[in-house]
Amino acid sequence: MAPVPTATWVKMAVAGLGMCIGGPALIYYVSPSEEELFLRYNPELQRRSLEARKERQEDFDAFVNRLKQYSKSDKPIWTEWELDGQKRHEGGVQKMLADRRAETEAAEQRKAEIRAASSRE
């Protein structure tokens, strides 16, 4: 097998560098920024996006704070995440049951008031 000429090596190096550097540069050049995308929204979507921005930021901040709290434990983060999810689920179920009880009691109270008001007439 004959040795590869130096010119071929130079061409291959230039082509490789062109693809490795030029490809990402082209993608960076043609991809719109977040501002440009936002300006392309119709006014209704812009309004909704601005309204939801604060809520999304608060959710993200809460998520990061929970991750920081989980990382303080000796257990892996995913284990802490699952334990917290179970605690939240149990707390949510308890809250839902308490809400149902409160609704039932309020309904019973309304029925008693209606009965009392109808017996007066």
Side-chain angles (χ1 to χ4, degrees):
M1 184 164 163
V4 179
T6 306
T8 304
W9 284 106
V10 171
K11 286 188 233 175
M12 291 304 294
V14 168
L17 285 173
M19 284 187 275
C20 291
I21 295 171
L26 178 66
I27 296 298
Y28 182 76
Y29 177 73
V30 299
S31 297
S33 68
E34 288 187 28
E35 279 181 24
E36 292 169 339
L37 285 175
F38 181 75
L39 292 175
R40 288 183 190 174
Y41 289 173
N42 67 22
E44 176 65 23
L45 285 176
Q46 286 181 357
R47 184 184 59 76
R48 277 195 263 157
S49 178
L50 289 174
E51 288 173 355
R53 181 176 286 173
K54 184 175 180 179
E55 182 180 334
R56 283 193 314 264
Q57 186 63 39
E58 289 173 357
D59 289 345
F60 180 75
D61 290 343
F63 171 74
V64 170
N65 288 334
R66 277 187 275 142
L67 284 181
K68 286 179 184 177
Q69 182 184 8
Y70 299 156
S71 67
K72 292 178 184 176
S73 173
D74 293 337
K75 299 176 186 175
I77 289 177
W78 55 88
T79 305
E80 289 292 321
W81 182 275
E82 289 174 1
L83 292 173
D84 188 46
Q86 289 174 355
K87 288 178 188 175
R88 286 174 182 234
H89 177 72
E90 291 170 3
V93 168
Q94 295 298 328
K95 184 180 183 297
M96 187 174 64
L97 290 174
D99 290 345
R100 283 187 185 170
R101 278 189 225 113
E103 288 174 5
T104 305
E105 290 172 6
E108 290 297 324
Q109 232 176 10
R110 284 192 298 265
K111 286 180 185 177
E113 290 172 3
I114 292 171
R115 287 182 189 135
S118 64
S119 65
R120 285 187 223 155
E121 294 176 356

